[in-house]
Amino acid sequence: MGVKSDAAIEITAFDWVPDFAQGFVRDLRPRWACEEMGVDYAERLISAVNRPADHYRDQPWGQVPVLRDGNVRLFESGAILLHLAEQDAALLPRDPQGRATVTSWLFAAYNSVEPLMFELSNIEIFAAGEEWARLRRPGLLEFIRTRLGKLAEALGDRPYLAGDFSVADIAMATVLREGIEAGVVAEHPRLETYLARCLDRPAFGRALAAQLAAFTEEPSAA
């Protein structure tokens, strides 16, 4: 299982990104799901610097991932994860409440947690040194602490969000990884332990290695 050029599932990914983004690009999410499912997938590597025109027909903003599964095409990692999980009861339970719980947590990862991590990355990387970012950071960190505290309470003593590992954990773990460097996850030992448990899964290691292996040297300026 893993990357195979003639696989039925194809994941579009970038062939290069800056160092700070390597290992965090969102094609990691469907890669991880495929690895958990034991399903081969092909890569379609495109340039992040000179994105091909036809890619915008699949993804209006030129981002990745895009998934092609036979005649089905999807963009947005959440939609892609749901599509893949429909094929494996281990990632998405078939009983109504189990499915509802996993789906709720999947949306929570992308709607209630990821926007805060994105804003934190924005002020610490892209707007570093700007006065508005310096002023915004303390209030944002306090809000993140509160939000993650509630997440830790909801997780409780369960090993994973819905009890067993599911596609919701792929979503939440990849989002929480973005807060490691800022220290916001370490402030909540229960979440730190949960995240370590997710990232220790062999499927995550294989997915991460595959993404990193796809990157080439920085393209020269046109």
Side-chain angles (χ1 to χ4, degrees), residues 41 44 52 69 85 117 139 145 155 190 218:
Y41 63 92
R44 182 195 178 210
D69 184 1
M117 297 303 182
R145 290 186 184 101
L155 176 64
R190 184 175 287 168
E218 180 176 1

Side-chain angles (χ1 to χ4, degrees), residues 187-201:
E187 293 178 1
H188 303 275
R190 184 175 287 168
L191 292 185
E192 189 174 38
T193 300
Y194 161 75
L195 180 57
R197 183 181 299 115
C198 291
L199 302 187
D200 281 345
R201 295 180 69 86

Side-chain angles (χ1 to χ4, degrees), residues 16-144:
W16 174 86
V17 292
D19 289 348
F20 71 83
Q22 293 188 11
F24 291 88
V25 188
R26 292 173 184 174
D27 61 279
L28 181 64
R29 299 165 179 180
R31 290 177 187 269
W32 186 354
C34 286
E35 293 289 353
E36 292 282 354
M37 296 165 60
V39 171
D40 290 324
Y41 63 92
E43 296 173 317
R44 182 195 178 210
L45 300 179
I46 64 172
S47 171
V49 178
N50 297 300
R51 302 176 197 194
D54 64 348
H55 180 57
Y56 288 89
R57 291 197 292 270
D58 291 334
Q59 218 294 346
W61 298 278
Q63 298 170 330
V64 298
V66 167
L67 183 102
R68 298 185 184 185
D69 184 1
N71 293 324
V72 176
R73 297 185 185 183
L74 299 94
F75 68 97
E76 290 295 333
S77 62
I80 290 170
L81 288 181
L82 277 178
H83 173 79
L84 291 172
E86 290 280 2
Q87 305 173 34
D88 192 329
L91 292 181
L92 184 64
R94 296 302 184 249
D95 67 284
Q97 186 55 59
R99 178 188 176 92
T101 300
V102 168
T103 304
S104 295
W105 277 116
L106 174 69
F107 277 79
Y110 293 148
N111 289 332
S112 298
V113 181
E114 187 169 43
L116 301 175
M117 297 303 182
F118 181 83
E119 186 178 0
L120 183 61
S121 296
N122 187 34
I123 66 174
E124 293 197 334
I125 298 174
F126 302 107
E130 295 189 25
E131 181 66 7
W132 74 264
R134 183 186 68 81
L135 295 173
R136 172 58 179 151
R137 190 174 190 276
L140 175 61
L141 287 175
E142 186 58 32
F143 191 76
I144 290 174

